[in-house]
Amino acid sequence: MPARFKHAALVGKYQAPGSRRVLAQVADFLLSQGLEVSLDEATALNTGLSEHPALPPEQIGRHCDLAVVVGGDGTMLAVARQLAPQNVPLVGINQGRLGFITDIPLEALRETLAPMIAGDYEEEQRTMLAGCVTRDEGGSMRRTIFEGHAVNDVVVTRGGMSGMVEMRVEVQGDFVANFRADGLIIASPTGSTAYALSAGGPLLHPGIAGWVLVPIAPHSLSNRPIVLPDSGEVAIEIVAGRDCSLNFDHQGLASLLHGDRILVRRSAHRVRFLHPRGWSYYATLRRKLRWNEGSSGSGPGD
């Protein structure tokens, strides 16, 4: 069967022990399947793998029709932010514990990835968050001081040695509430299984066009997580609190000032994840959240 894909970009978590050997193994397998292989520039530089062309992230979409990401979910998030604007589909190879979005174990590389290269896969597209921070310049003037994209979440948090932060929240210009808390999370469906989940937020299926707004350790117990449509803009204004910080998938801006406004909307770009045939979102939840532990029964594929 002819390969569906022709040219793969290989991106790896080069800080991990043994990463050079693993990446060379994956590259050899891709070559054996008839694909051209290029390495992400940073991966090539930090591993010394010079047998393949190296491409900066902004050129991967011009040359490659597939990106194979070797690492964990954190590596995948970073690559997804870079490649989503280029519409490059992503496949995740996990070296350790299987992640929520890196779902092919390294030991099953050959039998799992070969059919996918040949076109036998399931594609899933997920939304991203886009946002910025604006600051009062006096009068009616505001200046944008930070912009970012996130696959998982946008998070406002208090300083490590400071008290609570107070935030005014609006959705599509409609006032919601002033929250006093350790912080606030706006999470995509992908991010609903990350920090938002540990802060008490609900799981949101990736097929739902929504976000989760989750206060972190709120002062009032009535400040509960809320699911919002992703069609409108969410605005968060810093009302009180010291040393507040903001991060988009842990890529951050420190020292927010009173009056700063964080504006979050749905990104124009979507992330394309490719999964093996038969992949199931619910099976991933069962495995990662250990829902079947202590159960007397199991379902198919458990």
Side-chain angles (χ1 to χ4, degrees):
M1 182 182 296
R4 166 74 177 272
F5 298 103
K6 297 179 180 179
H7 194 157
L10 183 58
V11 188
K13 184 179 179 181
Y14 45 78
Q15 306 93 333
S19 60
R20 190 184 194 282
R21 175 186 55 79
V22 171
L23 287 165
Q25 174 187 341
V26 176
D28 288 345
F29 173 74
L30 294 172
L31 288 170
S32 75
Q33 298 298 300
L35 274 71
E36 294 181 61
V37 176
S38 294
L39 263 65
D40 159 70
E41 195 172 54
T43 302
L45 179 65
N46 286 277
T47 59
L49 288 171
S50 57
E51 305 93 304
H52 311 284
L55 295 172
E58 61 272 15
Q59 291 187 18
I60 287 177
R62 193 180 309 164
H63 300 278
C64 304
D65 55 0
L66 177 69
V68 178
V69 182
V70 182
D73 282 357
T75 306
M76 180 64 92
L77 289 176
V79 176
R81 286 194 303 272
Q82 292 179 323
L83 297 187
Q86 303 178 50
N87 200 36
V88 179
L90 309 175
V91 173
I93 309 296
N94 202 296
Q95 291 178 251
R97 294 175 298 175
L98 292 184
F100 281 102
I101 52 178
T102 48
D103 49 19
I104 300 176
L106 181 62
E107 58 271 20
L109 171 69
R110 294 180 177 276
E111 59 267 35
T112 305
L113 192 53
M116 297 177 68
I117 291 171
D120 188 20
Y121 57 80
E122 298 186 15
E123 178 170 342
E124 180 192 29
Q125 297 192 16
R126 298 203 182 186
T127 55
M128 295 176 62
L129 301 159
C132 65
V133 180
T134 67
R135 180 165 290 171
D136 188 359
E137 291 288 282
S140 60
M141 298 293 294
R142 298 191 69 88
R143 176 170 61 94
T144 298
I145 62 170
F146 183 84
E147 293 182 290
H149 287 80
V151 179
N152 266 358
D153 47 38
V154 175
V155 182
V156 180
T157 54
R158 67 179 180 87
M161 301 300 290
S162 63
M164 289 186 173
V165 57
E166 183 175 347
M167 298 154 289
R168 174 186 171 90
V169 176
E170 300 173 1
V171 176
Q172 201 67 352
D174 193 6
F175 174 62
V176 177
N178 274 30
F179 291 90
R180 293 187 65 227
D182 283 356
L184 194 65
I185 304 167
I186 302 176
S188 69
T190 305
S192 71
T193 57
Y195 191 10
L197 181 62
S198 66
L203 296 174
L204 197 60
H205 189 280
I208 294 176
W211 295 332
V212 179
L213 182 72
V214 184
I216 305 170
H219 180 262
S220 172
L221 292 179
S222 64
N223 290 154
R224 307 307 301 164
I226 180 172
V227 176
L228 304 171
D230 68 2
S231 55
E233 183 178 73
V234 178
I236 305 168
E237 181 175 334
I238 305 301
V239 176
R242 295 183 295 109
D243 303 324
C244 301
S245 64
L246 170 73
N247 71 71
F248 288 68
D249 284 352
H250 303 292
Q251 309 299 307
L253 169 72
S255 301
L256 293 172
L257 304 179
H258 295 174
D260 284 354
R261 286 175 65 84
I262 301 102
L263 307 175
V264 182
R265 63 188 184 281
R266 183 178 60 208
S267 171
H269 308 296
R270 297 170 69 89
V271 183
R272 297 174 62 192
F273 291 124
L274 304 187
H275 303 289
R277 184 68 63 187
W279 173 85
S280 164
Y281 173 74
Y282 302 109
T284 301
L285 292 182
R286 287 197 304 273
R287 183 184 68 244
K288 291 296 294 181
L289 301 179
R290 301 179 178 179
W291 281 350
N292 278 350
E293 286 191 358
S295 172
S296 58
S298 61
D302 289 334

